[in-house]
Amino acid sequence: MDKLKQILHLFNTQNPGQVPVHYAIAFLFIAEHHSVTYREIEEELGSSNASASRIVNGLGDYPRHREFGFGWVERFIDPEEGRRYRVRLSAKGQAMYRDVERVMN
């Protein structure tokens, strides 16, 4: 539990009170994979497509319903299916994940 509290505190230091738990879960899910689709995020969180989209927007640099984005993820067109987007960690997100990994080890 102590490590979990440390990780949640790490997220909270980015912008106190502004990182919802489901954002943190989505971030960690994305970080554990090379890249994921919106559908995979939906399935992991048990959420709708609209919710997955809001989460990706907030985790990225393109918020619509928040004042800012964290800049931790970037989306790109899936090379295997041009009508679908994939999501991966940005350089800033990779740095954040390294911080999380330091807490875990």
Side-chain angles (χ1 to χ4, degrees):
M1 280 306 244
D2 190 47
K3 287 184 179 185
L4 176 60
K5 287 191 286 187
Q6 290 177 24
I7 291 169
L8 292 174
H9 176 72
L10 180 63
F11 279 107
N12 196 46
T13 62
Q14 300 301 304
N15 193 351
Q18 297 299 313
V19 182
V21 173
H22 59 289
Y23 277 41
I25 293 168
F27 172 83
L28 295 171
F29 175 70
I30 295 164
E32 291 172 351
H33 301 81
H34 177 66
S35 67
V36 298
T37 64
Y38 280 69
R39 181 77 176 144
E40 290 168 330
I41 294 170
E42 293 168 34
E43 291 171 357
E44 177 69 14
L45 298 178
S47 67
S48 67
N49 182 268
S51 180
S53 180
R54 280 192 299 274
I55 292 167
V56 170
N57 287 339
L59 289 173
D61 277 332
Y62 17 79
R64 292 187 184 162
H65 302 286
R66 303 179 73 75
E67 293 180 18
F68 64 93
F70 292 101
W72 294 335
V73 301
E74 58 190 15
R75 57 183 181 210
F76 62 99
I77 295 175
D78 189 329
E80 294 178 15
E81 171 56 71
R83 296 173 293 170
R84 177 174 59 197
Y85 283 99
R86 297 191 70 80
V87 182
R88 64 183 167 214
L89 294 184
S90 65
K92 185 176 178 182
Q94 291 171 13
M96 176 65 171
Y97 190 64
R98 283 191 296 276
D99 290 343
V100 169
E101 286 182 313
R102 276 193 279 280
V103 170
M104 292 302 295
N105 296 322

